[in-house]
Amino acid sequence: MSESGFDYCLDDYLFGREFTPEALVEHRDTAEGYDDAAERDNALSAMREIVSRHG
Protein backbone atom coordinates (compact mmCIF):
# COMPACT_ATOMS: atom_id res chain seq x y z
CA MET A 1 0.00 0.00 0.00
CA SER A 2 2.87 2.36 0.56
CA GLU A 3 3.46 2.67 -3.17
CA SER A 4 -0.06 4.10 -3.60
CA GLY A 5 0.61 7.01 -1.26
CA PHE A 6 -2.39 6.23 0.93
CA ASP A 7 -0.52 4.99 4.01
CA TYR A 8 -1.42 8.16 5.89
CA CYS A 9 -5.14 7.51 5.23
CA LEU A 10 -5.14 3.84 6.13
CA ASP A 11 -2.70 3.72 9.04
CA ASP A 12 -5.42 4.03 11.69
CA TYR A 13 -7.15 0.88 10.41
CA LEU A 14 -4.13 -1.29 11.30
CA PHE A 15 -4.48 -3.44 8.15
CA GLY A 16 -2.26 -6.50 8.37
CA ARG A 17 -1.45 -5.87 12.02
CA GLU A 18 -2.78 -7.09 15.35
CA PHE A 19 -6.34 -5.86 15.91
CA THR A 20 -7.03 -6.02 19.64
CA PRO A 21 -8.22 -3.40 22.12
CA GLU A 22 -4.69 -3.19 23.48
CA ALA A 23 -3.20 -2.67 20.02
CA LEU A 24 -5.76 0.00 19.15
CA VAL A 25 -5.12 1.94 22.35
CA GLU A 26 -1.36 1.59 21.92
CA HIS A 27 -1.62 2.90 18.36
CA ARG A 28 -3.64 5.90 19.47
CA ASP A 29 -1.29 6.52 22.38
CA THR A 30 1.64 6.58 19.96
CA ALA A 31 -0.15 8.76 17.41
CA GLU A 32 -1.96 11.25 19.66
CA GLY A 33 -1.18 10.36 23.24
CA TYR A 34 -3.35 10.35 26.32
CA ASP A 35 -3.25 13.00 29.02
CA ASP A 36 -2.60 10.46 31.77
CA ALA A 37 -2.77 6.79 32.72
CA ALA A 38 -6.40 7.09 33.83
CA GLU A 39 -7.47 8.37 30.42
CA ARG A 40 -5.58 5.52 28.73
CA ASP A 41 -7.17 2.96 31.08
CA ASN A 42 -10.64 4.37 30.36
CA ALA A 43 -9.99 4.18 26.62
CA LEU A 44 -8.84 0.57 26.97
CA SER A 45 -11.98 -0.32 28.92
CA ALA A 46 -14.17 1.32 26.29
CA MET A 47 -12.36 -0.46 23.44
CA ARG A 48 -12.69 -3.82 25.20
CA GLU A 49 -16.43 -3.24 25.56
CA ILE A 50 -16.82 -2.34 21.86
CA VAL A 51 -14.78 -5.32 20.67
CA SER A 52 -16.67 -7.71 22.96
CA ARG A 53 -19.99 -6.55 21.48
CA HIS A 54 -18.85 -6.93 17.89
CA GLY A 55 -16.29 -9.71 18.16
Side-chain angles (χ1 to χ4, degrees):
M1 264 191 259
S2 62
E3 65 276 357
S4 68
F6 288 109
D7 278 349
Y8 69 95
C9 294
L10 302 174
D11 189 48
D12 288 336
Y13 295 102
L14 303 179
F15 290 127
R17 292 180 273 172
E18 180 181 20
F19 192 76
T20 63
E22 293 78 12
L24 292 167
V25 169
E26 181 65 32
H27 178 73
R28 180 170 181 234
D29 195 19
T30 302
E32 301 170 25
Y34 291 98
D35 290 336
D36 55 29
E39 183 182 16
R40 189 179 193 284
D41 291 343
N42 289 337
L44 183 55
S45 256
M47 289 306 297
R48 285 179 175 152
E49 175 64 26
I50 291 167
V51 170
S52 73
R53 283 192 225 161
H54 299 282

